[in-house]
Amino acid sequence: MGHSLFCFLGLFSLNTILCGNAEGEKVKATVKANTEIMPAGGSVTLTCDVNHFADLEYDWFRQTSKNSEKTTVAGESDRVLVTSEAGFYTCRGRVKDSDPIIIHETVPIKPTLTLQPSWTQIYSGETVTVRCEIQGGEGAQWTYEWRRNKLNTPPTSNEYRIIRATKSDSGGYSCRGRRDYFLTEWSDIITLTVSSSKPRATLTAQSSVIPAGGSVTLSCSVEGSAGWKFDWFRRDSVSSKTQLMRGNEANRVISVSQGGLYHCRGGRGDPVYYTEDSSDVTIMEIVPSKPTVTLQPSWTQIYSGETVTVRCEIQGGEGAQWTYEWKPAKLNTPPTSNEYRITVTESDSGGYSCRGRRDYFFTEWSDIITLTVSYKPKAKLRADNTAVPVGGSVTLTCSVNPSSSSSSSSGWKYYWYRAEKSSEALTTQDAVFHSNGQISVSQEGLYRCRGGRGNPVYYTEDSQSVRIGKTVTVSNRPVVTLYPNWSEIYRGETITVRCEIHGGDTEWDYEWETNSRIKAPNQNEYRIRSASSSNSGNYRCKGRMKSSQHKTTEWSDSVTLTVSDNKPRPVLTVSPSWLSPGASVTLNCEVEHPSAGWSFYWYKAVPDLSEKSSSYELLPDGSGTAQDSYIIHGQTHTAGYVCRAGRGDPEYHTDHSQPKFVWSADVHSATSLTVSPDRVQHFTSDSVSLTCEGNFTEWRVRKFSEDGRLYSDCRRMTGSTCNINTSKSDTAVYWCESGSGEFSSAVNITVQNDGNGPILVSPVHPVTEGASVSLSCSLRTQKILSNVFFYHNDKLIQNDPRGELKISAVSKSDEGFYKCQYSGRESAQSWMSVKGADSSSSPVWLIVGLVCGVSLIIILLLLLYRCRRTNSAANEQTLNQAEDQQQVYSSLLHGDRCVYETVRRCENTENGPAEGDYTNVTSVIQLKVINKTRQRGDPEESSDYNNVNPNSASALT
C-alpha cells in the first residue's frame, strides 16, 4: 500500500512520534484544538495535519479516560472534527494514531475563597490561612488550582497557611477545582493587603485629671482595628515599674479611678500578634486637700517697688514630698517651690493660686488671692487749720491711699519733717505724736510727711508741704448761699454754690469743705452743671486774706444740698371731669416736693392714629405760666390734657404728666358715638357695639376704666365699630377719636356682675328737655318685668305693676341717678343727663331774641341772680349724692341748669319768652370761646398713652 504513517499526540502538548517514507524523510501527524477547555454546553474544533501529505483520509479516535478503550468516532473522516464531548482524541492518516489531547469541561460551580482570620488588612509577621471551598462538591475528589501561581506547588491543597506574612504576600487571590476532565469556575478575587510597618496602639483619655472621688475613661484603638483585644499597663509612682493591669480585654474602653502613668497595646490572632505599645498618658488624681495662698506681709494692696512673699501651704500634707504649681504660670520656673519673694511691678497685679503635686496626685487649687499693685504712692498731709491759735496747736494728719485703710491694717508708719530740705524726722520734743497718723504742733514752719512699711522699709513719696503760721481770725463771717435758693434739686439741674464775705474791700482766697464726693474748687463760687447725686452734701467755706495769709475768717455755717436721681413727673387734675357744653374747665398741675420756682406748660392731647399715640399741642398762653392752674372757657367736647413744669437757667423740664380727660355727653360734636343696644347697663357676656360716626375715615375707640387705666385701642375693631363681649372690666367711659384729631361725645357703660340681678334700661346719651323717656328693669332671662320699684337719687318714686317708668316731658329736675329693684335685688344706678332744647331747631328762638333784646339789662340781672341760686342748689345736691353713692362717676356736673330751664320756659310759652329769658346771649358768648384761635406748640413732643395708669380718684374728680 505504500507508506504508512502514524502519529500520537500526548496530554496537554503536541508530542510527536516521527515516521519515515521511502526516501527516508521523517513525517508527523499533529492534532490541534482551538481551545483545550470546553465551556459548559459548548464545543471544541480539532484539526489533524500530516507533514508533506495532502488529501489524506483521517480516522478519529476518542477515549473517555486514560484507562478506557479507544473507540472510533463514527462517521468522522475529515481533517477537521467538531465535538462537544470531552476525552482523549487521536487522528490517523492511515499509518498511526496521533498524540492525545485532553479537553476539559467547565461545570457551573463557583468556589468561595475565605481568609482565616477574615482580615484583609494584616501586618508583616501575622499568620493567615487562605482557603478554597466548593459548595455541593464535598464528596468528589478535587484538586485545586490557584492564582497566585506560587500556591500551585503542589496544586492539590484547598488551603494555604501564610506564616509571618510579608509585603510580597499582598495581592488578589482566587481558586478553582479540577476533577477528571471537569473544571469549576474561578472564584471571586479576594485582596490581601500586608502592611510592612507594625501598628502602634493609640491611647486617649477623657480627661487628664480624676476629680476627687470620680473616675476617667481611657480608650485604646488600633488603625484597622478588627479582631483586636487590648492589654492595659499602669505605673503608680515615678519610682515603681510598669505592671500589667488588665490583659486580653475585648473592650477597648475602661474606667480608672487612680492616678498613674498608663499605656496600652493591641493583640490578635493565633499565635498572638502584638502592636507597638501606645504612648504613655499621665492621669492625675485630685486628692481632697486644698492649699492656702498667703501673702507676707498680708497687704493685698501694695505698691511698685515693695517686696512681698507669696506662699503655698498644704495643711495635713507636711510629710509628703510635694512640688508646687502656680497660677500665673510665670511662677512655675522651677515648679517646685512653695514660696516666691517678689519685688513687685504693675505687671504683678492679679490673682494668685497654687496646688501641690506628688507622683500622679494633685491637690485642689487654692482659693485665689488678689494682689493689686499701684504706682508709688504719695503721702497726703492735711491740717485742721493752717494757723496756730494763740496758746493752742494745729493737728496734722498724714495718710496713704486708700484713705479708708487704717494704719494698723495697711502697715504704714509715718515720718514727719519740718523745713523744706530737712531730712531729720521730728521727735517728741517737736510734736505730740498720736497713734493714728496724726501729730499736734504748736510751732510755725513748713511741714511735710511720708509713709513707710515692710522690711526693708518701703517709703512713699513725700507729701506736699503745708505751712503752719500764727493765725489771726478776723471778724468777717462768710455765708454760703445757693442760687437759685433750692436746697433740693433734681439730677440734671444747674445750681451755683456761693461763698459771700461781707465787709470792706478785702480780696480773699476761698477754702471749701464738703462731704460730697465731688470737691468744690477754692473759688468764691462753684457752679454745678447737670447735677448728680455725687454733688449731694454739706458745704461750708472760709476766707483767707490775700494780703496776709495768716488772717482768716471762721468757717461759715453749712448748707445742705440734696440731688435726687428721680426725675419729677407732675400730677394733673381736671375739674369737672364731666362737663356741660360751654362750661369752664380748670386744670391744676402739681409738682412733687420741692415745688419752688416752677413755671408750667399746658398741652392738649391730639390723637395720632398712625402712631397709636397722641401728640401734645400747646394751649393758647400755655407756655411757662407762673400759676399752677389753667382755665379753659367754653369747653364743649371731650378732650385730653397734659402738663409739665420747668425751672432754672438753663431751664430744666420735668416729664410730662399722665393725660387727664374731660368728658362731654354733647351729641352735636363733629364726631359721635352710638351704642347698640342703646342703654347704659349691660349683662356679662352681652354683645355691645360702639360705632363712631362722622366725616372721617380712621377711628379708634378709647376707654377709661374703673381702675383708672387708659386704653388706646379696641381689641375687636371693624371699620368704625368696636365690638365688645362684655365682662366686669368693661365698665368704663368710652369715646371715639378720629384720624384728624377730633373727639366724640363720651358715654358710660356699666356691666352687671350679678348674673341673677336686674339691670336698669336707661338711655346712654342725654335726654332733651321736653322729650319723653321710658326707663325699665330687665333680667337676663326676662326683658319685661312687673312690680318693679324705681328710685331717683335713692328716693322711691314709683311702684309700677307694668315695670316701666315713663316721663312724658323731661325737665332738668328729672336729671340724676336712677336704679330699679325687683324681687329684693337692685340694679346698679346710672346717671340720666337732661340737656336743653336745640336752639337751631325751633322758631321760638326768633321770638326769644326780640323779647330778650328789649329788656337786655333787666333780664341779665334776673338771670344772674337766678342762676347763682339754682346752680348752688344743684351742685350741692349732686355732690351730696356723690358722697353717698361712692360711685366712680359720682362727681358728674352736667350743664348749667339755669340756662336749660330758661330755654324750656321760652319754648313752652305761647305768648313768647318768659321774663328773664336770655339764652340767646349765652349762646353768643359760648360761640366766641369755641372759635377762639389756638396756637400750636412743641410739635415734636408726643407720648404713647397705652396702659396709662393714672390715679382714678384724681382723674374723675
Side-chain angles (χ1 to χ4, degrees), residues 887-902:
Q887 294 293 323
V888 175
Y889 310 112
S890 61
S891 60
L892 311 181
L893 299 176
H894 285 278
D896 188 329
R897 182 172 182 180
C898 167
V899 173
Y900 288 117
E901 287 187 350
T902 304

Side-chain angles (χ1 to χ4, degrees), residues 287 289 314 316-324 335-338 355-359 361-363:
V287 295
S289 179
I314 301 175
E318 291 79 0
Q321 296 298 316
W322 295 99
T323 58
Y324 295 85
T336 57
S337 178
N338 73 323
R355 67 179 176 184
R357 178 171 184 164
R358 187 186 69 227
D359 291 332
F361 300 93
F362 273 140
T363 67

Side-chain angles (χ1 to χ4, degrees), residues 407-424:
S407 175
S408 60
S409 64
S410 61
W412 294 110
K413 295 181 179 179
Y414 295 95
Y415 302 84
W416 300 88
Y417 305 91
R418 187 172 61 215
E420 186 72 36
K421 298 181 179 180
S422 173
S423 59
E424 294 185 5

Side-chain angles (χ1 to χ4, degrees), residues 261-275:
L261 191 69
Y262 289 85
H263 73 264
C264 69
R265 70 179 179 184
R268 68 180 183 182
D270 183 19
V272 179
Y273 174 83
Y274 291 105
T275 68

